[in-house]
Amino acid sequence: VSEAGRGPEIVRESDDEPRVLVVDDDEGFRRGLPVALGRAGMRAIGVDGGAAGLSVLERDPIDVVLTDVQMPEMSGPQLLERIKAAGYPVEVIMMTAFADITTAVNAVKAGAYAFLTKPFVSNEAVVLEVRKAAQHLRLNAKMRRLERELSARGGADELIGGSPSMRELDRRISGVAPVDSTVLILGESGTGKELVARAIHRRSRRASGSLVTVNCGAMPKDLVESELFGHVRGAFTNALQARAGLFEAADGGTLFLDEVGDLPMNAQVKLLRALQEGEIKPVGSDVTKTVDVRVVAATNVDLKSAVAAGTFRQDLFYRLNVIALRVPPLRERGDDVHVLAHHFVRSIAERAGRPPPRLSAEAAACVERYSWPGNVRELEHAMEHAVIFSEGETIALSALPAETRGEGAAASEPAVTSVGPKASVMLDLITALGLQEMGYADAKKRILTDFNEAYVAALLDSAKGNVSEAARRSKLDRSNFRRLFKDRGGESSRRGSSD
Ligand SMILES: Nc1ncnc2c1ncn2[C@@H]1O[C@H](COP(=O)(O)OP(=O)(O)OP(=O)(O)O)[C@@H](O)[C@H]1O
Ligand SMILES: [Mg+2]
């Protein structure tokens, strides 16, 4: 059990100007571009041809490669392929004449960052594209580093929390992992049963084998048997080919039967046999196969009452229940709730490329007070909500989901300002436009363009098409209004022609 580090850590990658390599057989570009990029503060060199480019990449740290598409020895796409194969940490921008746009588009599919058409609109456009590429590169490097840090800290799927009940669970996982016995993991929904199963696999001698996860509740009932044990050709109407089952896929590794309580009866019989004999029989076959599989099962229903109700075989229950691990609900883990909350806030913020905000005292108190019936999963979702709905450095109470705040809040808290319709309309808009996938600046620019357009349209509408009246109502001075008005026109006509 590892604890997530405390305290937000603001990561700054180097903000140095990008180092650029220009590859072009045209001497004009090869010389001119580096000069223009150099004027923008970048360090850039130009070389003739892909081979020369590769030898620069071999010895110099480069961030962005600008390459022509058509060159005599090695084409731009070929150079891109070589760069990708060698794994140089660079972004590649293709420069192309209109004629080979298709090539350029394919290059982008093959991993180029972007393409620019020659002749360039302006040198500024090139500078801007190179900056964007370099920033993209930096963000990716940062992400990879964070991922590495996280896995050095015990893995993205390590169980976080140092409360006594979690320490005890951790100790028991380490105890049962190396032996091959079947383990039954019990616990409420969202407590981390799947993580426990993965930890068992990872700490076992089967770690290098595969961990095959089967959600017993999600399989169509009449296919469960063949999914688990395979079938021979012609075993049933659609069995045109013999197929191995998941037991075989897990041979030498671990089979995780999630929601084992949902297994239909016929599959239960076969599972019992597989557990007892280490043998499986594909559907429609008389021949048994030996498999070396360790079974870990999980359930959030009470199997004993399922046995009493006749939906779960008693003998299978005993066979599975040899070693039972109970994953405690979050409300029994004391301070872990804060450690986990902090961990989720940080990883969610970092995934979104922003510095992690801090929970305000009121928000932290609410996290502590709430009973988290959905356990860790609910906490994770609540923190996601909180990060999305907070803008600055702190997460206000109002950024938490309403149901989280609701519980017991009335007595001790002032009336909670709920997230009004405005915020959710904005959120809908953000997700509809996919802005969460963009950098902040791009996202803002995108939404501002749409806003300006829609605002002017609505304004004109309410002014019954009278432009001077619209200008007056906008309270902008005339030149600003004219710009807004024109921009909107330019925007829509450009869109109209290119799309
Ligand atoms: N101790 C923990 N540390 C970090 N993350 C955790 C921890 N426990 C659970 N999680 C995260 O919470 C989420 C739910 O965990 P998981 O899917 O393992 O729960 P579960 O018990 O299998 O739930 P269900 O019964 O609904 O299938 C996952 O995203 C998981 O990564
Ligand atoms: Mg689960």
Side-chain angles (χ1 to χ4, degrees):
V1 176
S2 60
E3 282 202 5
R6 286 165 198 268
E9 165 206 32
I10 297 176
V11 189
R12 287 218 180 285
E13 302 294 312
S14 147
D15 272 336
D16 288 348
E17 285 292 0
R19 295 154 298 195
V20 191
L21 170 66
V22 178
V23 182
D24 204 323
D25 57 327
D26 182 319
E27 193 175 354
F29 282 104
R30 192 162 79 225
R31 285 181 189 278
L33 265 182
V35 173
L37 294 167
R39 250 182 236 129
M42 304 182 188
R43 278 170 288 164
I45 51 169
V47 296
D48 183 4
L54 286 169
S55 58
V56 171
L57 287 168
E58 193 72 50
R59 46 159 222 269
D60 293 340
I62 295 289
D63 300 307
V64 180
V65 176
L66 272 164
T67 177
D68 188 24
V69 169
Q70 280 174 358
M71 294 180 289
E73 307 286 327
M74 188 190 297
S75 73
Q78 280 167 339
L79 175 60
L80 173 70
E81 204 182 308
R82 296 280 294 270
I83 288 174
K84 291 286 163 191
Y88 293 117
V90 297
E91 295 291 354
V92 177
I93 298 176
M94 294 279 170
M95 305 181 288
T96 174
F98 261 107
D100 31 59
I101 283 277
T102 327
T103 324
V105 170
N106 287 335
V108 169
K109 285 192 190 140
Y113 174 76
F115 63 87
L116 293 166
T117 43
K118 287 200 231 178
F120 302 127
V121 183
S122 66
N123 283 338
E124 287 71 52
V126 183
V127 168
L128 193 72
E129 204 60 33
V130 170
R131 277 232 165 81
K132 266 167 42 190
Q135 193 180 12
H136 187 248
L137 185 76
R138 248 172 233 143
L139 282 176
N140 271 337
K142 174 166 145 183
M143 206 83 92
R144 273 197 303 276
R145 194 172 51 66
L146 288 168
E147 271 164 14
R148 267 200 313 279
E149 272 179 21
L150 211 60
S151 63
R153 217 180 272 151
D157 49 26
E158 194 62 49
L159 290 158
I160 288 169
S163 61
S165 58
M166 286 305 280
R167 272 180 215 273
E168 168 66 12
L169 176 64
D170 186 65
R171 209 180 47 75
R172 296 206 56 206
I173 292 171
S174 292
V176 302
V179 284
D180 258 347
S181 21
T182 307
V183 179
L184 180 62
I185 305 169
L186 307 168
E188 291 176 13
S189 175
T191 45
K193 296 184 291 299
E194 188 161 350
L195 281 190
V196 170
R198 278 191 240 154
I200 292 173
H201 174 72
R202 242 197 344 259
R203 297 184 206 175
S204 74
R205 60 171 184 86
R206 297 168 176 271
S208 58
S210 35
L211 169 68
V212 176
T213 297
V214 188
N215 187 334
C216 302
M219 285 188 286
K221 227 176 157 188
D222 45 349
L223 286 183
V224 175
E225 253 190 276
S226 92
E227 285 288 317
L228 286 178
F229 308 106
H231 61 248
V232 297
R233 196 175 145 206
F236 45 88
T237 327
N238 288 323
L240 302 176
Q241 297 287 334
R243 223 184 99 193
L246 295 166
F247 256 91
E248 271 176 86
D251 202 3
T254 308
L255 183 67
F256 175 43
L257 298 175
D258 204 359
E259 291 172 41
V260 72
D262 290 339
L263 266 191
M265 272 295 174
N266 55 350
Q268 290 182 26
V269 183
K270 285 204 154 193
L271 174 60
L272 182 64
R273 182 193 168 87
L275 290 173
Q276 276 168 343
E277 324 285 346
E279 283 177 351
I280 55 161
K281 208 195 275 181
V283 177
S285 166
D286 303 325
V287 192
T288 54
K289 291 185 182 177
T290 315
V291 282
D292 171 29
V293 171
R294 192 236 192 121
V295 171
V296 174
T299 178
N300 57 21
V301 300
D302 181 11
L303 287 183
K304 265 192 216 138
S305 25
V307 170
T311 57
F312 203 80
R313 288 182 65 106
Q314 185 163 35
D315 45 8
L316 180 59
F317 171 67
Y318 286 133
R319 186 62 189 71
L320 287 175
N321 199 32
V322 182
I323 299 175
L325 292 182
R326 180 176 169 273
V327 188
L330 188 52
R331 61 186 173 277
E332 288 175 17
R333 300 190 202 173
D335 277 351
D336 280 4
V337 70
H338 294 298
V339 178
L340 280 161
H342 178 76
H343 163 76
F344 289 133
V345 166
R346 200 167 70 156
S347 59
I348 291 157
E350 270 160 9
R351 242 181 290 143
R354 47 186 274 202
R358 222 183 263 277
L359 283 168
S360 67
E362 297 76 26
C366 172
V367 163
E368 177 152 346
R369 186 176 51 231
Y370 185 57
S371 65
W372 302 107
N375 294 292
V376 186
R377 181 178 295 114
E378 187 182 7
L379 178 66
E380 187 173 7
H381 291 164
M383 291 307 114
E384 197 162 355
H385 189 281
V387 171
I388 291 171
F389 281 96
S390 54
E391 278 188 352
E393 293 172 1
T394 46
I395 293 174
L397 180 62
S398 59
L400 294 176
E403 62 276 17
T404 317
R405 285 179 274 128
E407 210 178 67
S412 50
E413 295 289 328
V416 176
T417 42
S418 72
V419 178
K422 258 189 200 149
S424 59
V425 165
M426 193 47 126
L427 185 69
D428 287 348
L429 204 59
I430 285 173
T431 42
L433 295 171
L435 300 187
Q436 73 279 14
E437 311 292 336
M438 298 181 193
Y440 178 75
D442 287 344
K444 189 167 157 185
K445 199 165 130 198
R446 172 68 216 281
I447 208 156
L448 204 57
T449 310
D450 285 7
F451 164 78
N452 286 348
E453 221 176 297
Y455 174 75
V456 173
L459 194 64
L460 272 175
D461 191 47
S462 84
K464 305 205 166 35
N466 182 331
V467 180
S468 353
E469 172 60 13
R472 199 183 56 77
R473 293 188 185 189
S474 76
K475 298 204 170 75
L476 287 172
D477 66 42
R478 274 179 50 188
S479 65
N480 279 333
F481 180 78
R482 215 178 299 136
R483 192 172 310 133
L484 186 68
F485 193 71
K486 269 222 311 263
D487 272 3
R488 170 216 55 137
E491 215 20 71
S492 54
S493 66
R494 207 185 62 221
R495 278 206 194 146
S497 62
S498 65
D499 281 358

PDB file of all heavy atoms in Angstrom, residues 449 453 483-497:
ATOM      1  N   THR A 449     -14.604  32.391 -30.753  1.00  0.00           N
ATOM      2  CA  THR A 449     -15.012  32.569 -32.141  1.00  0.00           C
ATOM      3  C   THR A 449     -16.503  32.272 -32.272  1.00  0.00           C
ATOM      4  O   THR A 449     -17.266  33.042 -32.861  1.00  0.00           O
ATOM      5  CB  THR A 449     -14.234  31.597 -33.044  1.00  0.00           C
ATOM      6  OG1 THR A 449     -12.859  31.727 -32.742  1.00  0.00           O
ATOM      7  CG2 THR A 449     -14.466  31.916 -34.497  1.00  0.00           C
ATOM      8  N   GLU A 453     -19.617  34.992 -33.023  1.00  0.00           N
ATOM      9  CA  GLU A 453     -20.520  34.784 -34.128  1.00  0.00           C
ATOM     10  C   GLU A 453     -21.973  34.761 -33.647  1.00  0.00           C
ATOM     11  O   GLU A 453     -22.837  35.466 -34.181  1.00  0.00           O
ATOM     12  CB  GLU A 453     -20.178  33.426 -34.735  1.00  0.00           C
ATOM     13  CG  GLU A 453     -20.207  33.391 -36.226  1.00  0.00           C
ATOM     14  CD  GLU A 453     -19.743  32.023 -36.695  1.00  0.00           C
ATOM     15  OE1 GLU A 453     -18.573  31.675 -36.428  1.00  0.00           O
ATOM     16  OE2 GLU A 453     -20.558  31.314 -37.295  1.00  0.00           O
ATOM     17  N   ARG A 483     -15.151  45.530 -36.150  1.00  0.00           N
ATOM     18  CA  ARG A 483     -14.245  44.387 -36.215  1.00  0.00           C
ATOM     19  C   ARG A 483     -14.990  43.091 -35.877  1.00  0.00           C
ATOM     20  O   ARG A 483     -14.890  42.087 -36.574  1.00  0.00           O
ATOM     21  CB  ARG A 483     -13.068  44.582 -35.268  1.00  0.00           C
ATOM     22  CG  ARG A 483     -11.978  43.573 -35.513  1.00  0.00           C
ATOM     23  CD  ARG A 483     -10.727  43.862 -34.727  1.00  0.00           C
ATOM     24  NE  ARG A 483     -10.267  45.242 -34.869  1.00  0.00           N
ATOM     25  CZ  ARG A 483      -9.901  46.020 -33.861  1.00  0.00           C
ATOM     26  NH1 ARG A 483      -9.949  45.554 -32.625  1.00  0.00           N
ATOM     27  NH2 ARG A 483      -9.503  47.241 -34.055  1.00  0.00           N
ATOM     28  N   LEU A 484     -15.765  43.166 -34.805  1.00  0.00           N
ATOM     29  CA  LEU A 484     -16.531  41.996 -34.382  1.00  0.00           C
ATOM     30  C   LEU A 484     -17.463  41.548 -35.505  1.00  0.00           C
ATOM     31  O   LEU A 484     -17.570  40.372 -35.836  1.00  0.00           O
ATOM     32  CB  LEU A 484     -17.353  42.373 -33.143  1.00  0.00           C
ATOM     33  CG  LEU A 484     -18.130  41.261 -32.448  1.00  0.00           C
ATOM     34  CD1 LEU A 484     -17.165  40.280 -31.804  1.00  0.00           C
ATOM     35  CD2 LEU A 484     -19.031  41.864 -31.373  1.00  0.00           C
ATOM     36  N   PHE A 485     -18.107  42.530 -36.092  1.00  0.00           N
ATOM     37  CA  PHE A 485     -19.066  42.264 -37.150  1.00  0.00           C
ATOM     38  C   PHE A 485     -18.383  41.645 -38.365  1.00  0.00           C
ATOM     39  O   PHE A 485     -18.834  40.659 -38.921  1.00  0.00           O
ATOM     40  CB  PHE A 485     -19.733  43.588 -37.518  1.00  0.00           C
ATOM     41  CG  PHE A 485     -20.946  43.419 -38.368  1.00  0.00           C
ATOM     42  CD1 PHE A 485     -22.096  42.889 -37.819  1.00  0.00           C
ATOM     43  CD2 PHE A 485     -20.936  43.779 -39.711  1.00  0.00           C
ATOM     44  CE1 PHE A 485     -23.225  42.720 -38.597  1.00  0.00           C
ATOM     45  CE2 PHE A 485     -22.060  43.619 -40.490  1.00  0.00           C
ATOM     46  CZ  PHE A 485     -23.208  43.079 -39.929  1.00  0.00           C
ATOM     47  N   LYS A 486     -17.224  42.243 -38.730  1.00  0.00           N
ATOM     48  CA  LYS A 486     -16.492  41.754 -39.904  1.00  0.00           C
ATOM     49  C   LYS A 486     -15.926  40.366 -39.659  1.00  0.00           C
ATOM     50  O   LYS A 486     -16.011  39.492 -40.502  1.00  0.00           O
ATOM     51  CB  LYS A 486     -15.340  42.722 -40.215  1.00  0.00           C
ATOM     52  CG  LYS A 486     -15.717  43.811 -41.177  1.00  0.00           C
ATOM     53  CD  LYS A 486     -14.649  44.108 -42.230  1.00  0.00           C
ATOM     54  CE  LYS A 486     -13.242  44.298 -41.724  1.00  0.00           C
ATOM     55  NZ  LYS A 486     -12.837  45.700 -41.533  1.00  0.00           N
ATOM     56  N   ASP A 487     -15.331  40.181 -38.456  1.00  0.00           N
ATOM     57  CA  ASP A 487     -14.733  38.893 -38.108  1.00  0.00           C
ATOM     58  C   ASP A 487     -15.727  37.779 -38.306  1.00  0.00           C
ATOM     59  O   ASP A 487     -15.441  36.725 -38.834  1.00  0.00           O
ATOM     60  CB  ASP A 487     -14.299  38.870 -36.637  1.00  0.00           C
ATOM     61  CG  ASP A 487     -12.889  39.392 -36.515  1.00  0.00           C
ATOM     62  OD1 ASP A 487     -12.346  39.785 -37.557  1.00  0.00           O
ATOM     63  OD2 ASP A 487     -12.366  39.410 -35.389  1.00  0.00           O
ATOM     64  N   ARG A 488     -16.914  38.084 -37.802  1.00  0.00           N
ATOM     65  CA  ARG A 488     -17.947  37.080 -37.891  1.00  0.00           C
ATOM     66  C   ARG A 488     -18.199  36.743 -39.361  1.00  0.00           C
ATOM     67  O   ARG A 488     -18.263  35.598 -39.766  1.00  0.00           O
ATOM     68  CB  ARG A 488     -19.210  37.613 -37.232  1.00  0.00           C
ATOM     69  CG  ARG A 488     -20.409  36.769 -37.459  1.00  0.00           C
ATOM     70  CD  ARG A 488     -21.650  37.603 -37.603  1.00  0.00           C
ATOM     71  NE  ARG A 488     -21.497  38.597 -38.658  1.00  0.00           N
ATOM     72  CZ  ARG A 488     -22.442  38.859 -39.519  1.00  0.00           C
ATOM     73  NH1 ARG A 488     -23.574  38.234 -39.466  1.00  0.00           N
ATOM     74  NH2 ARG A 488     -22.265  39.769 -40.437  1.00  0.00           N
ATOM     75  N   GLY A 489     -18.290  37.833 -40.194  1.00  0.00           N
ATOM     76  CA  GLY A 489     -18.511  37.612 -41.620  1.00  0.00           C
ATOM     77  C   GLY A 489     -17.375  36.803 -42.220  1.00  0.00           C
ATOM     78  O   GLY A 489     -17.600  35.812 -42.912  1.00  0.00           O
ATOM     79  N   GLY A 490     -16.129  37.200 -41.900  1.00  0.00           N
ATOM     80  CA  GLY A 490     -14.967  36.507 -42.451  1.00  0.00           C
ATOM     81  C   GLY A 490     -14.968  35.046 -42.060  1.00  0.00           C
ATOM     82  O   GLY A 490     -14.799  34.157 -42.876  1.00  0.00           O
ATOM     83  N   GLU A 491     -15.237  34.811 -40.782  1.00  0.00           N
ATOM     84  CA  GLU A 491     -15.277  33.455 -40.247  1.00  0.00           C
ATOM     85  C   GLU A 491     -16.229  32.585 -41.056  1.00  0.00           C
ATOM     86  O   GLU A 491     -15.867  31.546 -41.555  1.00  0.00           O
ATOM     87  CB  GLU A 491     -15.789  33.571 -38.807  1.00  0.00           C
ATOM     88  CG  GLU A 491     -15.288  32.653 -37.733  1.00  0.00           C
ATOM     89  CD  GLU A 491     -13.988  31.962 -37.994  1.00  0.00           C
ATOM     90  OE1 GLU A 491     -12.898  32.584 -37.998  1.00  0.00           O
ATOM     91  OE2 GLU A 491     -14.067  30.747 -38.179  1.00  0.00           O
ATOM     92  N   SER A 492     -17.488  33.100 -41.187  1.00  0.00           N
ATOM     93  CA  SER A 492     -18.468  32.219 -41.793  1.00  0.00           C
ATOM     94  C   SER A 492     -18.206  32.029 -43.281  1.00  0.00           C
ATOM     95  O   SER A 492     -18.381  30.945 -43.795  1.00  0.00           O
ATOM     96  CB  SER A 492     -19.883  32.743 -41.557  1.00  0.00           C
ATOM     97  OG  SER A 492     -19.962  34.074 -41.992  1.00  0.00           O
ATOM     98  N   SER A 493     -17.717  33.091 -43.952  1.00  0.00           N
ATOM     99  CA  SER A 493     -17.516  32.879 -45.381  1.00  0.00           C
ATOM    100  C   SER A 493     -16.338  31.938 -45.605  1.00  0.00           C
ATOM    101  O   SER A 493     -16.363  31.100 -46.489  1.00  0.00           O
ATOM    102  CB  SER A 493     -17.290  34.205 -46.095  1.00  0.00           C
ATOM    103  OG  SER A 493     -16.084  34.784 -45.663  1.00  0.00           O
ATOM    104  N   ARG A 494     -15.305  32.040 -44.716  1.00  0.00           N
ATOM    105  CA  ARG A 494     -14.180  31.151 -44.911  1.00  0.00           C
ATOM    106  C   ARG A 494     -14.607  29.709 -44.702  1.00  0.00           C
ATOM    107  O   ARG A 494     -14.273  28.826 -45.442  1.00  0.00           O
ATOM    108  CB  ARG A 494     -13.050  31.504 -43.953  1.00  0.00           C
ATOM    109  CG  ARG A 494     -11.717  31.092 -44.522  1.00  0.00           C
ATOM    110  CD  ARG A 494     -10.611  31.319 -43.548  1.00  0.00           C
ATOM    111  NE  ARG A 494     -10.788  30.547 -42.365  1.00  0.00           N
ATOM    112  CZ  ARG A 494     -10.550  31.008 -41.149  1.00  0.00           C
ATOM    113  NH1 ARG A 494     -10.157  32.235 -40.969  1.00  0.00           N
ATOM    114  NH2 ARG A 494     -10.713  30.230 -40.119  1.00  0.00           N
ATOM    115  N   ARG A 495     -15.383  29.517 -43.603  1.00  0.00           N
ATOM    116  CA  ARG A 495     -15.869  28.163 -43.344  1.00  0.00           C
ATOM    117  C   ARG A 495     -16.644  27.631 -44.510  1.00  0.00           C
ATOM    118  O   ARG A 495     -16.509  26.512 -44.918  1.00  0.00           O
ATOM    119  CB  ARG A 495     -16.789  28.188 -42.146  1.00  0.00           C
ATOM    120  CG  ARG A 495     -15.981  28.171 -40.918  1.00  0.00           C
ATOM    121  CD  ARG A 495     -16.786  27.582 -39.839  1.00  0.00           C
ATOM    122  NE  ARG A 495     -16.090  27.906 -38.622  1.00  0.00           N
ATOM    123  CZ  ARG A 495     -16.676  28.144 -37.501  1.00  0.00           C
ATOM    124  NH1 ARG A 495     -17.982  28.093 -37.430  1.00  0.00           N
ATOM    125  NH2 ARG A 495     -15.986  28.410 -36.449  1.00  0.00           N
ATOM    126  N   GLY A 496     -17.526  28.531 -45.037  1.00  0.00           N
ATOM    127  CA  GLY A 496     -18.390  28.099 -46.113  1.00  0.00           C
ATOM    128  C   GLY A 496     -17.593  27.596 -47.304  1.00  0.00           C
ATOM    129  O   GLY A 496     -17.958  26.607 -47.919  1.00  0.00           O
ATOM    130  N   SER A 497     -16.473  28.240 -47.592  1.00  0.00           N
ATOM    131  CA  SER A 497     -15.770  27.848 -48.798  1.00  0.00           C
ATOM    132  C   SER A 497     -14.877  26.632 -48.597  1.00  0.00           C
ATOM    133  O   SER A 497     -14.666  25.869 -49.513  1.00  0.00           O
ATOM    134  CB  SER A 497     -14.926  29.019 -49.304  1.00  0.00           C
ATOM    135  OG  SER A 497     -13.966  29.341 -48.321  1.00  0.00           O
TER     136      SER A 497
END
